[in-house]
Amino acid sequence: MLMATNSPSASFMRLLGFLLWPAVALLGAAALGGIALNRGESINSLWLIVAALCVYALGYRFYSAFVAAKVLMLDATRATPAERLADGRDFIPTHRWIVFGHHFAAIAGPGPLVGPTLAAQFGYLPGTLWILLGAVLGGCVQDFVILFCSIRRNGRSLGQMARDELGMIGGAAALMGVLAIMIILIAVLGLVVVNAMRHSPWATSTVAATIPIAMLIGLYMRNLRPGRVIEGSLLGFALLVLAVVGGGWIDESAALRTWFDYDGPPLALLVIGYGFVAAVLPVWLLLAPRDYLSTFMKIGTIVALALAIVVLRPEIRMPALTQFIDGSGPVFGGKIFPFVFITIACGAISGFHALIASGTTPKLLANEQDCRFIGYGAMAMESFVAIMAMIAACVLEPGLYFAINSPAGLVGAEPAQAVATISSWGYPVTVEQMAELARQMGETSLFARTGGAPSLAVGMASIFASAFGGQLLALWYHFAIMFEALFILTTVDAGTRVARFMLQDLLGNVVPALGRTSWYPSVILCSALVVLGWGYFLYNGTIDPLGGINSLWPLFGIANQMLAAIALCVATTIIVKSGRAHHAWVTAAPLAWLVIITTTAAWEKLFSPELRVGFIAHANDLAAQIANGSIAGAAVAQTERLIFNDQLDAALTAFFLLVSWIVVIETVRVCLAYLQGRSCPTFTETPYERAQLVD
Amino acid sequence: MSARNWWIERAALPLERLKRGLQTSWRTVRELTGDDAYERYLAHHAACHGGELPLDRAAWFKQEQQRKWDGVRRCC
């Protein structure tokens, strides 16, 4: 860096630089202090935005610079895989902003929108603090370091790096972990969509319309105008808006609306059938065009939401903390520790990102130094999306928020009963208010619409309608639902496909023919197995009286944090083996925190006597109810299924716990072996080659 | 430079800048969305495999799309 210039303007700039960062720090501290200490009076959402931006700016400017310079020692003169292996297909040196765009579009999914919405039951403060601190100290660091590790290893994947650096056991555990998380992830996201469509002809018909629209665009981009991505996407966007409006017409027609009016279980079966068809259809027909549409929609809506929040600066109605930090919350059971850290995975730290950061992104970077901007920066931006989701959930009246998000099994299926229960918690809400809200949003009822998507859509609709004018609440609401469903279904398709490849890879070790990814019988068989896997959890989620989200979302959170722990294990091992063990705390500290929270959460999900937390306690309670006859007749069969489901969830939790501890123990073993000079898997960094590309 | 030309240049400058700015943005949008991927393929092909005939737009797009989805591309 050139610091020697002494011209007056340079001195002035330096002075400004000296003053800028203390000012950012002060502003950030004031905003954080303001939101943390505020009691009673409602607070403006601008405080959250200011606090968030200051925290990200400080984290980026100072912490990521430290990690880049001292821990990873990024080297701009070192040729990246994109340069060394350039093949015009996978490895393409690409401008940093383009890579940033691709990377952000790949990591930002529905997770950061749903998690904060659910965690808002603790109040806005715990979730917000975790999103900010988790991101700058954990999630951003994870993405950054894994991207760096992959770049120094010819763009190898997380699984390959785990095998190379930790040995066979660590590698196998990582692979199993990824497969399991995929199954749970798809199930829970499917459940979010199903709950948003339940008894809503408007939402169901709009979401259904996205399928033929995607196919049409697929045909357009393949046959009519090959490769014209912008044209195709704009056309698709217009059709999607038409589908939202058209859904309203269907909803008004007494004859048509019955075609799209379904309960949870049949909708789950439809989503499962769809998932299978999407998995075996060629990608150009459904998956690829849907992904183009959802990416455009995602970026556009996120930018619009940010603008709307800044323009409107809505008041936060949710208190900073609610009484539900004691674990009695209706949205999901469990105390603030560890469950706020489990519920908000994406947005604070998400293990899944490590798959992207060791997938396409490292093959595009032209300059190693851009790891910081892309790895750390894109995650900070995703974290900001989570903050906006938190704001959208907290601008609702808390009574409305709880009425939408509490399962009927807990607050009562009758509206009068539900509002009485919720009002008795100190969050007043009336049947009339809920009816009026449902009418405005164009829905028949908004009670017990668990999963986070409907309440987020209500929040977004009210923000959009106020910021951009008009009384089109119902249109905005269904636009938001369509937007969420669009990219959840993209994740369902893409996830099923990836899980299918993994399964084929695994089975190929036993029956070689099954390992051939393009052999149709194997494609059908493995796709069916994967879809049955997530479909099972999805279907049972819809018949669960507690709403399914209650048991599935924590399971997903634990799985995702476990994957993050695996990624941080790989990262820590690599830092230690690079001879900078004294800096290994950069990844070891978030790793330790993740191990603490996932272990505590998994332990509680297994052994807590609290019925809504402990899977085993819940199963035993149901069994006791059958035994003493309080559940009888037709309900017995369904209850037995719930019991089996609890046991399966418990087994899965135990599996996650086991896998993460195996990887942690392997990491400790390998690191100690290295430090003591004993034999351990070798350090696999590719040798230095000087960069020729002029940036 | 005559005064008149000076004024013409002054007037043209912002327009010129605007035009260049718009062109750059359009290029960025095309690159971000992958709309220009085929042109980039042609450029790469000409530079590295000059002797062979490149695929046409439709064939290339088909091949690319199939290949792109053989891995983790989207996250939660």
Side-chain angles (χ1 to χ4, degrees):
Chain A
M1 216 180 264
L2 283 172
M3 283 300 212
T5 36
N6 279 323
S7 70
S9 73
S11 317
F12 177 71
M13 292 309 284
R14 276 177 67 189
L15 181 69
L16 211 64
F18 273 127
L19 294 178
L20 174 69
W21 290 106
V24 172
L26 268 176
L27 184 63
L32 268 181
I35 60 174
L37 302 174
N38 176 70
R39 290 289 176 275
E41 296 288 305
S42 72
I43 183 172
N44 196 285
S45 54
L46 197 63
W47 286 103
L48 267 69
I49 303 270
V50 170
L53 292 179
C54 291
V55 168
Y56 301 139
L58 290 169
Y60 186 78
R61 171 62 185 82
F62 296 104
Y63 191 49
S64 80
F66 163 76
V67 174
K70 301 288 182 205
V71 185
L72 305 178
M73 297 189 176
L74 297 187
D75 183 353
T77 70
R78 194 187 179 109
T80 60
E83 178 183 348
R84 282 185 290 109
L85 309 172
D87 60 1
R89 291 152 61 97
D90 287 312
F91 295 89
I92 313 167
T94 311
H95 191 273
R96 63 171 69 83
W97 279 100
I98 308 287
V99 185
F100 185 91
H102 281 292
H103 184 73
F104 177 72
I107 63 171
L113 295 175
V114 177
T117 308
L118 301 178
Q121 78 160 338
F122 293 130
Y124 66 81
L125 188 59
T128 302
L129 290 180
W130 167 235
I131 291 169
L132 295 182
L133 296 180
V136 291
L137 300 177
C140 296
V141 175
Q142 173 205 253
D143 294 14
F144 177 16
V145 178
I146 290 295
L147 179 59
F148 165 81
C149 294
S150 180
I151 286 218
R152 287 272 174 109
R153 280 159 189 76
N154 288 344
R156 310 207 85 185
S157 71
L158 180 69
Q160 289 168 323
M161 289 195 286
R163 201 162 46 230
D164 293 345
E165 302 286 340
L166 288 170
M168 277 310 289
I169 299 179
L175 184 71
M176 302 284 269
V178 173
L179 193 58
I181 182 188
M182 216 66 105
I183 300 287
I184 292 297
L185 165 75
I186 301 172
V188 75
L189 290 179
L191 190 56
V192 169
V193 176
V194 164
N195 283 352
M197 296 194 294
R198 195 155 44 87
H199 289 304
S200 168
W202 191 338
T204 310
S205 57
T206 303
V207 173
T210 63
I211 300 169
I213 290 174
M215 288 177 156
L216 206 68
I217 300 306
L219 284 167
Y220 181 88
M221 289 202 288
R222 183 187 171 89
N223 294 337
L224 290 176
R225 299 272 292 159
R228 306 290 179 181
V229 173
I230 296 182
E231 276 175 34
S233 302
L234 288 177
L235 184 68
F237 176 75
L239 290 174
L240 287 175
V241 172
L242 193 67
V244 174
V245 178
W249 299 333
I250 288 178
D251 192 44
E252 280 169 18
S253 147
L256 284 177
R257 76 192 307 276
T258 53
W259 290 22
F260 295 99
D261 189 357
Y262 297 103
D263 198 11
L267 278 173
L269 293 177
L270 285 172
V271 170
I272 292 166
Y274 161 78
F276 177 71
V277 173
V280 297
L281 279 181
V283 286
W284 62 266
L285 187 56
L286 190 53
L287 178 54
R290 181 194 276 293
D291 183 63
Y292 279 118
L293 294 180
S294 80
T295 308
F296 273 92
M297 203 59 111
K298 178 164 68 187
I299 307 269
T301 309
I302 286 171
V303 170
L305 186 60
L307 280 178
I309 288 178
V310 172
V311 170
L312 195 65
R313 298 187 301 277
E315 288 288 309
I316 301 281
R317 311 263 174 224
M318 186 68 80
L321 287 172
T322 67
Q323 68 267 41
F324 301 128
I325 54 176
D326 67 359
S328 61
V331 181
F332 57 90
K335 289 195 181 63
I336 186 167
F337 179 85
F339 286 100
V340 75
F341 305 103
I342 292 297
T343 308
I344 302 178
C346 318
I349 179 165
S350 164
F352 217 98
H353 291 189
L355 302 182
I356 307 287
S358 62
T360 15
T361 311
K363 300 176 181 132
L364 299 175
L365 275 185
N367 185 333
E368 187 176 287
Q369 257 181 335
D370 294 339
C371 277
R372 176 183 167 206
F373 169 59
I374 287 149
Y376 201 97
M379 176 61 200
M381 196 148 132
E382 157 144 312
S383 174
F384 188 61
V385 173
I387 290 288
M388 289 196 295
M390 180 60 93
I391 291 174
C394 293
V395 296
L396 292 178
E397 282 298 335
L400 296 176
Y401 166 86
F402 284 112
I404 299 173
N405 284 302
S406 303
L410 200 79
V411 293
E414 287 305 312
Q417 201 184 348
V419 294
T421 315
I422 292 161
S423 299
S424 76
W425 294 330
Y427 303 109
V429 60
T430 62
V431 177
E432 293 73 35
Q433 259 180 312
M434 283 300 286
E436 172 61 14
L437 187 70
R439 196 193 57 76
Q440 283 176 340
M441 301 296 160
E443 292 285 288
T444 42
S445 163
L446 282 170
F447 278 107
R449 303 295 290 271
T450 59
S455 82
L456 177 67
V458 170
M460 278 170 66
S462 49
I463 290 173
F464 279 147
S466 321
F468 302 132
Q471 292 300 306
L472 307 166
L473 273 169
L475 275 180
W476 281 119
Y477 173 85
H478 289 95
F479 177 81
I481 292 285
M482 183 273 291
F483 145 80
E484 291 172 82
L486 194 63
F487 65 108
I488 285 183
L489 290 181
T490 309
T491 309
V492 168
D493 297 357
T496 303
R497 198 172 157 78
V498 170
R500 186 253 281 176
F501 284 132
M502 287 177 178
L503 193 62
Q504 284 187 307
D505 201 33
L506 269 175
L507 295 181
N509 293 328
V510 190
V511 185
L514 289 177
R516 277 162 39 208
T517 49
S518 54
W519 189 48
Y520 227 63
S522 166
V523 171
I524 302 258
L525 175 73
C526 292
S527 299
L529 286 175
V530 170
V531 172
L532 280 178
W534 60 256
Y536 176 84
F537 288 98
L538 167 59
Y539 187 80
N540 283 293
T542 59
I543 60 171
D544 186 339
L546 286 177
I549 290 289
N550 182 56
S551 55
L552 277 180
W553 190 265
L555 212 53
F556 160 63
I558 291 172
N560 202 0
Q561 304 291 43
M562 174 203 71
L563 195 58
I566 293 175
L568 287 170
C569 279
V570 172
T572 307
T573 313
I574 287 176
I575 292 176
V576 168
K577 285 204 224 164
S578 69
R580 290 187 283 278
H582 57 291
H583 283 319
W585 57 266
V586 164
T587 50
L591 170 61
W593 177 245
L594 284 185
V595 171
I596 291 170
I597 56 171
T598 46
T599 306
T600 321
W603 196 261
E604 285 193 21
K605 290 309 287 182
L606 283 171
F607 302 117
S608 167
E610 183 67 44
L611 297 183
R612 287 175 53 236
V613 180
F615 288 130
I616 295 173
H618 188 242
N620 290 345
D621 177 65
L622 291 177
Q625 285 186 44
I626 295 180
N628 69 23
S630 54
I631 291 178
V636 171
Q638 195 185 348
T639 308
E640 274 168 351
R641 186 177 196 148
L642 288 175
I643 293 174
F644 175 73
N645 210 26
D646 274 331
Q647 288 163 341
L648 192 67
D649 289 347
L652 210 57
T653 310
F655 171 75
F656 289 153
L657 199 56
L658 191 71
V659 166
S660 41
W661 274 96
I662 287 176
V663 179
V664 168
I665 290 168
E666 280 294 289
T667 301
V668 173
R669 190 182 65 80
V670 170
C671 288
L672 282 180
Y674 174 81
L675 293 173
Q676 295 167 350
R678 286 183 282 122
S679 82
C680 66
T682 45
F683 188 57
T684 55
E685 194 167 282
T686 46
Y688 178 89
E689 229 176 277
R690 197 173 173 80
Q692 305 295 323
L693 283 177
V694 184
D695 201 27
Chain B
M1 192 188 295
S2 76
R4 189 166 168 269
N5 279 350
W6 186 85
W7 276 109
I8 289 174
E9 259 183 37
R10 279 305 284 252
L13 208 62
L15 271 180
E16 191 57 33
R17 268 203 205 139
L18 183 71
K19 197 176 145 199
R20 250 182 296 147
L22 283 177
Q23 277 170 343
T24 316
S25 323
W26 176 238
R27 266 205 307 278
T28 310
V29 168
R30 290 198 67 210
E31 203 175 344
L32 260 175
T33 51
D35 202 57
D36 67 345
Y38 182 65
E39 281 111 277
R40 277 187 279 145
Y41 159 77
L42 284 184
H44 170 83
H45 195 91
C48 303
H49 322 274
E52 306 153 42
L53 212 61
L55 294 172
D56 68 25
R57 189 183 267 277
W60 179 83
F61 185 70
K62 274 179 200 170
Q63 180 195 314
E64 267 314 273
Q65 213 168 36
Q66 188 63 36
R67 204 182 54 84
K68 255 192 341 201
W69 284 97
D70 289 358
V72 184
R73 289 187 53 85
R74 285 297 176 257
C75 188
C76 41

